[in-house]
Amino acid sequence: MENRIKNRVSKTVHKGWATLSEITFDYKMTTGNWVSKKRESYNRGDGATILLYNKEKQTVILVKQFRISAFLNEDKTGFIIETCAGMLDKDDPKTCVIREVEEETGYRLKEVKKIMEAYSSPGALTEKLYYFVGEYSEGMKVSEGGGLESEKEDIEILEMPFKKALHKIETGEINDAKTIILLQYAQINNLV
């Protein structure tokens, strides 16, 4: 791709919880013509997400929390039902997802299975998500979960029948892409 991109200039527009950059560059079209482009890119790092499932009980654990971006996009409440997820924070994806599960749900997993990596919205975000599945049991519960006070998290833990979670996709109650992907992966691969 290097021979199709030149004169790239990046300017930081905002640096806070994440970094918003404005990038100008020349791009060589498939026709051979060069065009100038300007885009904004939001970088908050990569993350990991996991679907917790219990094959014996036919259940999954999801979380519900307030998401300001959903609220600003006219979601009635801003509360989103989703899979456990978090930023890598310099950890490898497996370490991250095991940490997030314990912080958010109170379950301490020993084993997880990575199933894929995917960009969430590559037109505007640099974030790549690492997708996992992991089986849980009651004996793995070590705390109440709910998130970290230091991060001001307010997470509701939802254990529900797998079929009910799938139905919530149909009704629109689950409208988070990573969660839909993982629930459909579980359905296709008969995990639950």
PDB file of all heavy atoms in Angstrom, residues 173-187:
ATOM      1  N   GLU A 173     -33.403  -5.257  21.324  1.00  0.00           N
ATOM      2  CA  GLU A 173     -32.919  -4.991  22.679  1.00  0.00           C
ATOM      3  C   GLU A 173     -31.404  -5.178  22.774  1.00  0.00           C
ATOM      4  O   GLU A 173     -30.755  -4.573  23.607  1.00  0.00           O
ATOM      5  CB  GLU A 173     -33.613  -5.914  23.685  1.00  0.00           C
ATOM      6  CG  GLU A 173     -35.100  -5.623  23.856  1.00  0.00           C
ATOM      7  CD  GLU A 173     -35.755  -6.689  24.704  1.00  0.00           C
ATOM      8  OE1 GLU A 173     -35.713  -6.563  25.950  1.00  0.00           O
ATOM      9  OE2 GLU A 173     -36.302  -7.653  24.121  1.00  0.00           O
ATOM     10  N   ILE A 174     -30.865  -6.058  21.947  1.00  0.00           N
ATOM     11  CA  ILE A 174     -29.411  -6.189  21.805  1.00  0.00           C
ATOM     12  C   ILE A 174     -29.076  -5.626  20.433  1.00  0.00           C
ATOM     13  O   ILE A 174     -29.481  -6.175  19.404  1.00  0.00           O
ATOM     14  CB  ILE A 174     -28.938  -7.652  21.943  1.00  0.00           C
ATOM     15  CG1 ILE A 174     -29.143  -8.125  23.385  1.00  0.00           C
ATOM     16  CG2 ILE A 174     -27.477  -7.790  21.527  1.00  0.00           C
ATOM     17  CD1 ILE A 174     -28.748  -9.571  23.646  1.00  0.00           C
ATOM     18  N   ASN A 175     -28.349  -4.499  20.451  1.00  0.00           N
ATOM     19  CA  ASN A 175     -28.008  -3.834  19.189  1.00  0.00           C
ATOM     20  C   ASN A 175     -26.533  -3.453  19.118  1.00  0.00           C
ATOM     21  O   ASN A 175     -26.142  -2.568  18.371  1.00  0.00           O
ATOM     22  CB  ASN A 175     -28.899  -2.604  18.971  1.00  0.00           C
ATOM     23  CG  ASN A 175     -28.825  -1.615  20.112  1.00  0.00           C
ATOM     24  OD1 ASN A 175     -28.039  -1.761  21.046  1.00  0.00           O
ATOM     25  ND2 ASN A 175     -29.667  -0.593  20.057  1.00  0.00           N
ATOM     26  N   ASP A 176     -25.733  -4.149  19.899  1.00  0.00           N
ATOM     27  CA  ASP A 176     -24.288  -3.938  19.928  1.00  0.00           C
ATOM     28  C   ASP A 176     -23.639  -4.961  18.994  1.00  0.00           C
ATOM     29  O   ASP A 176     -23.852  -6.169  19.146  1.00  0.00           O
ATOM     30  CB  ASP A 176     -23.789  -4.118  21.370  1.00  0.00           C
ATOM     31  CG  ASP A 176     -22.293  -4.121  21.457  1.00  0.00           C
ATOM     32  OD1 ASP A 176     -21.679  -3.073  21.167  1.00  0.00           O
ATOM     33  OD2 ASP A 176     -21.711  -5.175  21.796  1.00  0.00           O
ATOM     34  N   ALA A 177     -22.838  -4.489  18.038  1.00  0.00           N
ATOM     35  CA  ALA A 177     -22.287  -5.363  16.996  1.00  0.00           C
ATOM     36  C   ALA A 177     -21.443  -6.505  17.555  1.00  0.00           C
ATOM     37  O   ALA A 177     -21.603  -7.658  17.142  1.00  0.00           O
ATOM     38  CB  ALA A 177     -21.473  -4.544  15.997  1.00  0.00           C
ATOM     39  N   LYS A 178     -20.542  -6.228  18.495  1.00  0.00           N
ATOM     40  CA  LYS A 178     -19.673  -7.289  19.011  1.00  0.00           C
ATOM     41  C   LYS A 178     -20.494  -8.380  19.699  1.00  0.00           C
ATOM     42  O   LYS A 178     -20.171  -9.566  19.607  1.00  0.00           O
ATOM     43  CB  LYS A 178     -18.597  -6.723  19.938  1.00  0.00           C
ATOM     44  CG  LYS A 178     -19.076  -6.178  21.251  1.00  0.00           C
ATOM     45  CD  LYS A 178     -17.934  -5.555  22.051  1.00  0.00           C
ATOM     46  CE  LYS A 178     -18.413  -4.968  23.356  1.00  0.00           C
ATOM     47  NZ  LYS A 178     -19.430  -3.934  23.218  1.00  0.00           N
ATOM     48  N   THR A 179     -21.561  -7.975  20.367  1.00  0.00           N
ATOM     49  CA  THR A 179     -22.416  -8.926  21.063  1.00  0.00           C
ATOM     50  C   THR A 179     -23.187  -9.783  20.074  1.00  0.00           C
ATOM     51  O   THR A 179     -23.276 -11.005  20.234  1.00  0.00           O
ATOM     52  CB  THR A 179     -23.371  -8.172  22.008  1.00  0.00           C
ATOM     53  OG1 THR A 179     -22.578  -7.340  22.868  1.00  0.00           O
ATOM     54  CG2 THR A 179     -24.225  -9.112  22.814  1.00  0.00           C
ATOM     55  N   ILE A 180     -23.704  -9.166  19.042  1.00  0.00           N
ATOM     56  CA  ILE A 180     -24.426  -9.910  18.005  1.00  0.00           C
ATOM     57  C   ILE A 180     -23.491 -10.911  17.334  1.00  0.00           C
ATOM     58  O   ILE A 180     -23.851 -12.078  17.130  1.00  0.00           O
ATOM     59  CB  ILE A 180     -25.057  -8.941  16.983  1.00  0.00           C
ATOM     60  CG1 ILE A 180     -26.153  -8.109  17.658  1.00  0.00           C
ATOM     61  CG2 ILE A 180     -25.596  -9.701  15.776  1.00  0.00           C
ATOM     62  CD1 ILE A 180     -26.646  -6.921  16.836  1.00  0.00           C
ATOM     63  N   ILE A 181     -22.278 -10.476  17.019  1.00  0.00           N
ATOM     64  CA  ILE A 181     -21.301 -11.370  16.381  1.00  0.00           C
ATOM     65  C   ILE A 181     -21.033 -12.590  17.259  1.00  0.00           C
ATOM     66  O   ILE A 181     -21.044 -13.729  16.791  1.00  0.00           O
ATOM     67  CB  ILE A 181     -19.993 -10.607  16.078  1.00  0.00           C
ATOM     68  CG1 ILE A 181     -20.214  -9.615  14.937  1.00  0.00           C
ATOM     69  CG2 ILE A 181     -18.850 -11.571  15.758  1.00  0.00           C
ATOM     70  CD1 ILE A 181     -19.085  -8.603  14.759  1.00  0.00           C
ATOM     71  N   LEU A 182     -20.793 -12.356  18.545  1.00  0.00           N
ATOM     72  CA  LEU A 182     -20.461 -13.472  19.434  1.00  0.00           C
ATOM     73  C   LEU A 182     -21.662 -14.387  19.687  1.00  0.00           C
ATOM     74  O   LEU A 182     -21.503 -15.614  19.740  1.00  0.00           O
ATOM     75  CB  LEU A 182     -19.889 -12.952  20.748  1.00  0.00           C
ATOM     76  CG  LEU A 182     -18.429 -12.505  20.659  1.00  0.00           C
ATOM     77  CD1 LEU A 182     -17.994 -11.774  21.925  1.00  0.00           C
ATOM     78  CD2 LEU A 182     -17.508 -13.686  20.386  1.00  0.00           C
ATOM     79  N   LEU A 183     -22.848 -13.831  19.821  1.00  0.00           N
ATOM     80  CA  LEU A 183     -24.035 -14.674  20.000  1.00  0.00           C
ATOM     81  C   LEU A 183     -24.283 -15.520  18.750  1.00  0.00           C
ATOM     82  O   LEU A 183     -24.601 -16.713  18.854  1.00  0.00           O
ATOM     83  CB  LEU A 183     -25.258 -13.825  20.330  1.00  0.00           C
ATOM     84  CG  LEU A 183     -25.292 -13.227  21.737  1.00  0.00           C
ATOM     85  CD1 LEU A 183     -26.409 -12.197  21.864  1.00  0.00           C
ATOM     86  CD2 LEU A 183     -25.432 -14.316  22.798  1.00  0.00           C
ATOM     87  N   GLN A 184     -24.123 -14.927  17.589  1.00  0.00           N
ATOM     88  CA  GLN A 184     -24.324 -15.691  16.360  1.00  0.00           C
ATOM     89  C   GLN A 184     -23.220 -16.739  16.171  1.00  0.00           C
ATOM     90  O   GLN A 184     -23.487 -17.837  15.686  1.00  0.00           O
ATOM     91  CB  GLN A 184     -24.433 -14.763  15.165  1.00  0.00           C
ATOM     92  CG  GLN A 184     -25.738 -13.986  15.190  1.00  0.00           C
ATOM     93  CD  GLN A 184     -25.914 -13.041  14.023  1.00  0.00           C
ATOM     94  OE1 GLN A 184     -24.960 -12.646  13.356  1.00  0.00           O
ATOM     95  NE2 GLN A 184     -27.153 -12.668  13.776  1.00  0.00           N
ATOM     96  N   TYR A 185     -22.000 -16.425  16.577  1.00  0.00           N
ATOM     97  CA  TYR A 185     -20.919 -17.416  16.541  1.00  0.00           C
ATOM     98  C   TYR A 185     -21.289 -18.605  17.414  1.00  0.00           C
ATOM     99  O   TYR A 185     -21.133 -19.774  17.013  1.00  0.00           O
ATOM    100  CB  TYR A 185     -19.601 -16.793  17.035  1.00  0.00           C
ATOM    101  CG  TYR A 185     -18.493 -17.811  17.136  1.00  0.00           C
ATOM    102  CD1 TYR A 185     -17.666 -18.097  16.053  1.00  0.00           C
ATOM    103  CD2 TYR A 185     -18.276 -18.519  18.321  1.00  0.00           C
ATOM    104  CE1 TYR A 185     -16.661 -19.041  16.149  1.00  0.00           C
ATOM    105  CE2 TYR A 185     -17.284 -19.467  18.426  1.00  0.00           C
ATOM    106  CZ  TYR A 185     -16.479 -19.731  17.328  1.00  0.00           C
ATOM    107  OH  TYR A 185     -15.485 -20.678  17.422  1.00  0.00           O
ATOM    108  N   ALA A 186     -21.795 -18.333  18.618  1.00  0.00           N
ATOM    109  CA  ALA A 186     -22.190 -19.407  19.530  1.00  0.00           C
ATOM    110  C   ALA A 186     -23.311 -20.258  18.939  1.00  0.00           C
ATOM    111  O   ALA A 186     -23.302 -21.487  19.063  1.00  0.00           O
ATOM    112  CB  ALA A 186     -22.625 -18.820  20.873  1.00  0.00           C
ATOM    113  N   GLN A 187     -24.245 -19.593  18.280  1.00  0.00           N
ATOM    114  CA  GLN A 187     -25.358 -20.319  17.657  1.00  0.00           C
ATOM    115  C   GLN A 187     -24.863 -21.199  16.500  1.00  0.00           C
ATOM    116  O   GLN A 187     -25.182 -22.381  16.434  1.00  0.00           O
ATOM    117  CB  GLN A 187     -26.408 -19.328  17.150  1.00  0.00           C
ATOM    118  CG  GLN A 187     -27.620 -19.996  16.537  1.00  0.00           C
ATOM    119  CD  GLN A 187     -28.644 -18.984  16.050  1.00  0.00           C
ATOM    120  OE1 GLN A 187     -28.280 -17.884  15.619  1.00  0.00           O
ATOM    121  NE2 GLN A 187     -29.907 -19.342  16.119  1.00  0.00           N
TER     122      GLN A 187
END
